[in-house]
Each structure stands twice: as C-alpha cells, then as structure tokens.
Amino acid sequence: MKLTGAQIVCESLAREGVEVMFGFPGGTLLPFYDTLRHYPQLRHILVRHEQGAAHAADGYARATGRPGLCCATSGPGATNLVTGIANAYLDSSPVIAMTGQVARPFIGKDAFQEIDITGITLPITKHNYIALSAADLARIFKEAFYIATTGRLGTVLIDIPRDVFIEEAEFHYPVKVDLPGYKPILRGHPAQIRKAAQLIDRAKCPVIISGRGVIISGAHQEIRELAEKAQIPVITTLLGTSSFPENHMLSLGMLGMHGLAYANMAVTHADLVIAIGMRFDDRATGIVSGFAPKASIIHIDIDPAEIGKNVRVDVPIVGDVKHVLRELNKQVTNQTHVGWIQQLEQWRQEHPSIDIRGGEELLPQYVIRSICEVTNSDATIVTGVGQHQMWSAQHFCYKKPNSFISSGGLGTMGFELPAAIGVKVGRPEETVWCVAGDGGIQMTIQELATMVQERLAIKIAIMNNGYLGMVRQWQELFYGRRYVATPLMGPDFLKIADAYGISALRVKKRSEVIPAIQRAMEHDGPFLIDFMVEPEESVYPMVPPGATLAQVIECPKRKAAVPSTSGTVSNI
Amino acid sequence: MTQPKHTIVALVADRPGVLNRVASLFRRRGFNIESIAVGRTEMKGVSRMTIVVSGDTATVEQVRKQLDKVIDVIKLSDITDEDRVDRELALIKVKTTPQNRSEIMQIVDIFRANIVDVAAESVTVEVTGDEDKISSLLNLLRDFGIKEVARTGRLAMTRGTVPT
C-alpha cells in the first residue's frame, strides 16, 4: 500500500513506540502536522520556542531512557533547535530531531526559510540525514532510532523536504538495520576484565568515579555491588550525581571544580581509580597532569574514543557499564580497606566543605537542603547551569537513581525549565523540582506557557540573587571584584507567574523556606517560589581553573581576597 | 619539529556528504590532514579513502577512534607499519625550449614517467610513484621552470593477500 511521506513518518514513529513529541509547526512541516491529526497515540506538545522542544526531548530522554523526539520547521525553526541538540549530544542523550526542509527543487537556492541544517548539525549529532525521497523515510527512521539508542547514546537529526512529506511510496518498516560501519561493543574484553579485577584486589586505596554512563546503562545495582564487595568509596561526577545513593556509607559525593574537598583529596591520594562511564572532563579532573598522580587507572566506557583521550589509562575496558560490571563483580574478591576508609572519614571530619552558616540570612544552600528535607529526597531535581546547579548537586541528598538531571557538557543556561517539562511528561507521578537561577530562567521563561497548557505540576525554585551568579563569582575571585555585566534586573517573578496562571510565593527569610516548600508540595498544580537569596554567596569548595584537584579553595572568610593558587589562572 | 606520518585507509559508504563528514571531523578536532584521496572500490556502494595524517601516536590513535565513530565509515586500518604499496600520481607542466626538450625527455625516461602533452613552450609529464620519487623528479625539473603541478595525494594498499 502506498502512503505519503508524512504518513510514513507517523507510522514509523508509531512502530518505534513514540508516545510524545515536542515541537513547533511551520510551513515546511504542515503536511506532517496535518497527518498527525490521525495519530492520537502520538501526543504533540507545543512549545513556545524550538530550543524548548529540544531541551524537553532531552529531559524526557534522560528521565525515561527512551529516545526523546522534537521537531521544528526549516530555517529559523531548525537553527533554534541547535543549542538543544548540542546539549543533548555532549551529554549522550538520545534525542531525535526532525526538521522540515524546503521542497527539493528549492534546495541550494537560498529559498525562503532554507538552511543547510544537516551541515550545521554535523558536529553535534551522532549521525544525521536528509531524506531525499519518501521511499527512504522508513529506513532512515529505523536507522535513526537504532543509532540514537545503542552504543554511546546520541542525537540524530532527520531533515525532510516539504515535498517528500507529500510524495507517495510503498511503506515497509524494516525489521533490521543494515549499517556495516556501526557495531557498538557491549561486552568488555574478558582478559581486560580479569586484569582489572586483579588490580582491584591488589589496591590499598582505591576509589570509584561514577559517571553518567552508570545512569544511562542502569547499572546502579552493579556499581553498588562492586563498591560493597570490595569496600571501595564512590565519588560521582556532576552528571554521575544520583548514580550511587548518597546516604550510603561509601558515598563520597562529587569531585571536580566544585566537588567536595575530601572527594578531591581521595582521588589525589588513591592508588587505584576505577573510572566508570565518565569521560575525564576538565571540570572533573582539574589540570590533568596533576590528576590522580599516584593511581593506576581502570577506565570502563562504551565509547572507545573516550579511552586515553584525556588521561593515560592502565586498563581500558570498552563496553556497556552494566555488562562489564556484572563480569567484574564475579571476579573481584571481598576486601575491607579499613585504613583507607578511616583516612577518608578523618578527611571528611577535617574538611566539612559544605557546612553552611547559621543565622537568618537566606542562603541558597539552605533552600536546597530544605527541598531535600521536605521531599525526603523523593523528587527529581532538574537544574540549569551556574551556582544553583552546583548547590543542587552538593546539598541535596540523592538516594534515588537518576534523580538529578542537569546540563553538564555544554553547560546550557535555560535548560532547566524545558527539561523539567520533558522530565515531568516522562515521569508524571513523580515530584519534579526545577531549580533555576534568575538569569537562566529568563532564557527560556516562555515555556511556562507550555507547562501550564499541558497541566504539568512542576515546582519551580528560583535562586534569585540579582546576578549572573557564577560569572559574578569568577569576577570576584579572578577579576578584582569588577562586576561587569553581571548585575541582573529580573522581572517580578510573582507577576510573571500570575500572568501565566501559576501560583507563586516570594521568600526572603530562612524561616519562611520550609513552609513555602510545603505549600508548593501541597498545591495541586505548578508552583513557583522566588527565593531572594544572599546576592554575593559563592560556591565552595572550588578548584580554580588551571589548578589541580589538590589545590582546592575551601570556604574562605567571606569577602576576603582569595590568593591565587598557581599563577596559571586562565581559560574561563 | 616534523611529526611522523601515518597512513590510514578507510572504507566508507558511498553516500553524498561522506567526504565532508570525514574532513570536517579532522578540522573540528584540530587534526592535520596531509593528504586525502578518495575513489570507488571493487565493492558496490563502498569507497576507499587513503588519509595521510601527521602527529604523535596518541594523536593518531585518537584520529582513528574518532573516525571509527563516523557511522558511514565501514572499516578502518592504520597501515603505517604494514608492508605496503604507496603510490601518488602527479602531473607536472615544465617550461621547455627547443634546446632542452630532449634533456627533459631523458630525465622523464629515467623516471619511467610519460609525457602526456607537448606544446610549443611546455611539456606535461605524468608520473606515478611514491612520494620520494615524485619529489626527486620535481627537484630535477625545477631547474627548467615548473609552470603547474597537480598531485593526487597518496594511495596505499598492503602487499600480499591481507586485505586492508
């Protein structure tokens, strides 16, 4: 039977089990939207800006593990997706973006709303396609879903000219893909796993660094088994936050630029680092020449290109984290490491790192702790990028797997609100807190309308300090406290909330925090709290750029000048 | 400092844009391509790229791994240390006078190259061989005056029965 291109697209999405897509229509997509009427099982969520569609698809993918779908029209619609696609790409999130393209006879003529989106997205997609005939569509969709959801997960873009949506072709959805150049490796090499097990058995001061790969692979149980069996403390990367329960006695929290002092010390003194599903990002390692100087390194990752890219590795294991850990756990013997764990406990006592001051001041850290307390850690925290993100990573106690969703690799301000929409759509029964900065939320604030239209009961906490806080912090520390272009006048967020029909509260004092959060939780629907936090509060500990993890600045006396650590402060 | 050269052979799907995918990967990751030569193979739908890159072992290893991630790259081999045949084709247009034309023809003969075009004031020489041979011939011809040079870049294949 012959179907139109638009029907083939809808059928393909149905075969792949797609339930929801985030999009924004436009001229070149109209044949598709007109066909979408006949597919009620495919819920379409209308965003207010295409960037929101990509972030929402990303949030949905991170929350559910299923591919997130977004679509936009040609030209500006497609370019508006770019930030969201790049964000998903850098954090290995399976997002499929579908764009409309001008009709085939117009391609290459600089036609109205024409842009070479496959060219633009070449460096930020795992793979991309332009469908030049309706007969190719079914194969392309089959391949796209396969590529996005296997191996190292990633983004795939499919560009479809308007007349291809209208053209008719026979529809056969392929059962198998035929991609001779694409063979993800899932099982780790047995000899390498044996070597790793031997190294682990011999180690005196081992640490595990757990990254987002553990979450993606769903290896929470396996990593816990390894840690408990061999008594190895677990440190997480920013995106590995919530890959290991933080109330576990072997949890050491986060490492890196804003990691906890004792986690960074543990890495610096370890004789073995077992890096699992992480990619040695410079924000996690500090300057690499000083990273884990005493340690042998075992690196487990599904992407062979990540191995040895940034740091030397003694035992590389390419494979899916879950498969590899299952095999590894069979071979690792029971260990104790009493002395090492006591040493870490002593460092923990000596470097409390993230204790916060008493008093009535409204500290953002206190707000995060209060959300944790009121929700009893039973919530998913979605953040943007900046100080609030770091406080959210440091001060919430993540007990549930995959309960921290944030933009890591790209560091995209404005990710939080649309991503929270995707998360809530994917996990409707769950409490979702969108923690935002007053800067970042203004980048995608129009998505409040999407949230309300879709009746998504997201709770929003704005850490309102009147600054682009993280940039201000860098100006304070490294630019002589010259606050150029960081003081930020925000709107009255209560009036904004009101305009969208969202209930809201403003909180100015510490004593008001818990009642406000409780009120938000009790409220049946979206709720926004504008927390007027200390304007010049900074995130500590901090490893300055250009320093090693050993050169951590712990909370200095407030407003005292911070000595430069190594004289090589650069690369902002 | 000159970096060692590596010869990488990539079999790729013969689809539009594949060369762009490979070339732009090199650009955005800051790898330097010395030469890249592409053509069809005996297999339908499969093209062969011979890529010469310079860099230390770690860099070239990273090049190889990143290339391997390109979905359209079917197979990849670093044949730098293999026993192999390297060939490049060059067309060289040399200035001639009636006096030196026969001398040029002698040199061309010694190099087993061919003259493929003769004009009043120039001849065009076609030469195949490894890089050294082509450079030597170019050096000898330089004294006569070279008007134009076109080179293909390296093609390479392992010797014997082991396929690349």
Side-chain angles (χ1 to χ4, degrees), chain A residues 89 122-123 126-128 139 147 152 179-182 303-305 307 309, chain B residues 15 20-21 24 27-29 62 65-66 68-75:
Chain A
Y89 177 72
L122 200 60
K126 188 172 171 185
H127 196 53
N128 64 17
R139 172 187 60 83
I147 290 168
R152 179 175 182 170
L179 291 165
Y182 179 68
D303 181 355
I307 302 217
K309 186 175 85 176
Chain B
R15 292 211 185 110
N20 182 27
R21 280 180 202 280
S24 76
R27 179 190 53 74
R28 70 176 188 268
R29 295 205 178 256
Q62 184 60 206
K65 285 173 169 176
Q66 293 294 345
D68 216 11
K69 281 168 70 168
V70 175
I71 306 278
D72 288 330
V73 172
I74 298 165
K75 192 180 168 209

Side-chain angles (χ1 to χ4, degrees), chain A residues 56-109:
Chain A
D58 188 354
Y60 174 86
R62 292 181 201 226
T64 63
R66 297 195 294 272
L69 200 76
C70 57
C71 70
T73 194
S74 63
T79 54
N80 280 347
L81 287 178
V82 167
T83 302
I85 292 172
N87 186 77
Y89 177 72
L90 278 178
D91 289 347
S92 310
S93 185
V95 166
I96 293 174
M98 187 176 102
T99 47
Q101 183 53 276
V102 299
R104 284 168 292 182
F106 292 97
I107 290 178
K109 311 270 168 55

Side-chain angles (χ1 to χ4, degrees), chain A residues 17 43 51 90 123 141 164 222 264 274 328 346 405 410 499 572:
Chain A
R43 174 180 175 195
Q51 184 184 350
L90 278 178
F141 271 81
V164 171
E222 287 76 8
N264 286 341
I274 309 158
L328 190 60
Q346 190 188 330
I405 288 175
L410 194 66
I572 193 154

